Amino acid sequence: MAIATLLFASSSVFVACSDDDPSTMGPVPVNSVRVTSTSVTVIWSIVPNEKCDGYEVSILQGSRDGAVVGTQTFDNRTAEATFTGLTPNTRYVAKTQAKPGKGFSGSEPYYREFTTSPNIDVVVTGFEPYQVDGFDKDGNPTVTDYVKVSLSWTEIPNTNCGGYGIYLYECAQADWKSSLSAVGSALVSKSNVTSASIEKLKPSTTYTIRAYATPSTMCDYAVGDNCLSEFTTPAAPAAQ
């Protein structure tokens, strides 16, 4: 008897009634959101009995009163939905609502705000050629030409960014793949730092930049999307 009572209580816990109307189902809470720059996956609490005929999930622009950018409906066994085509670094609201089943005439909505992750657009602001003296394997003096590149990007407020990851790869953008090893990097731990320099690059060489945002404690994403761009270093100065 005790086990049966416990099972009934657990199956009914999410079918709360409205304080104003006992025939109205309570809200269906959103447990979590998984966010990228252009998508969100909404995960909500399931109502595990016949009192719920399913769910309607919508994404609203900016606020609870914002325009609806997408709506999906589901059966009462589904508790996850993914929406794509969102705008980076933009505020949205996920709205969940149960479809009333037996004994209910309506349901209350639940709202969960989130912000998509930002994209980081890194630009080259300058090159500085330089030389390093050394020795070859036989002990003869050598001079190696290098280039230092200066990079910058637009600041993302701390409310949606904790810092930036910048990596360089010796390849064209079209040839970049995640298995490649970086030849230089700059890891920035503050959102208000918007420039970095990377040294020991080869002259007359094409590099790909991989940049992404790292989250602050206020962010809804785990790590920002990769943003790729390329540049070519200048030729080494002619010998004097």
Side-chain angles (χ1 to χ4, degrees), residues 129-131 144-147 202-205 233-239:
Y130 65 99
Q131 296 179 322
T144 303
D145 290 300
Y146 288 112
V147 177
K202 298 176 182 178
S204 302
T205 302
T233 53

Side-chain angles (χ1 to χ4, degrees), residues 1 10 33 50 56 58 63-64 71 80 88 100 122 137 144 146 156 159 166 183 186 219 222 228:
M1 183 66 180
S10 64
V33 292
E50 75 284 355
E56 181 176 278
S58 299
S63 71
R64 298 183 181 189
T71 297
E80 181 176 314
V122 176
K137 63 180 180 179
T144 303
Y146 288 112
I156 305 296
T159 52
I166 312 294
V183 297
C219 295
L228 303 179

Side-chain angles (χ1 to χ4, degrees), residues 6-26:
L6 177 61
L7 289 175
F8 176 78
S10 64
S11 68
S12 304
V13 66
F14 299 121
V15 190
C17 296
S18 167
D19 292 338
D20 299 324
D21 183 355
S23 67
T24 299
M25 296 182 68

Side-chain angles (χ1 to χ4, degrees), residues 112-199:
R112 166 68 154 82
E113 296 181 353
F114 68 92
T115 301
T116 49
S117 63
N119 286 337
I120 309 304
D121 182 19
V122 176
V123 297
V124 173
T125 57
F127 295 108
E128 182 183 334
Y130 65 99
Q131 296 179 322
V132 173
D133 295 329
F135 297 91
D136 64 18
K137 63 180 180 179
D138 298 319
N140 300 312
T142 61
V143 176
T144 303
D145 290 300
Y146 288 112
V147 177
K148 179 173 75 171
V149 63
S150 295
L151 307 169
S152 69
W153 54 90
T154 301
E155 178 181 349
I156 305 296
N158 182 253
T159 52
N160 200 37
C161 180
Y164 313 92
I166 312 294
Y167 291 85
L168 292 189
Y169 301 82
E170 190 178 328
C171 67
Q173 180 177 335
D175 298 326
W176 182 86
K177 50 188 176 182
S178 59
S179 59
L180 292 176
S181 297
V183 297
S185 63
L187 300 178
V188 181
S189 60
K190 295 182 179 180
S191 64
N192 61 353
V193 175
T194 58
S195 63
S197 296
I198 299 177
E199 300 183 352

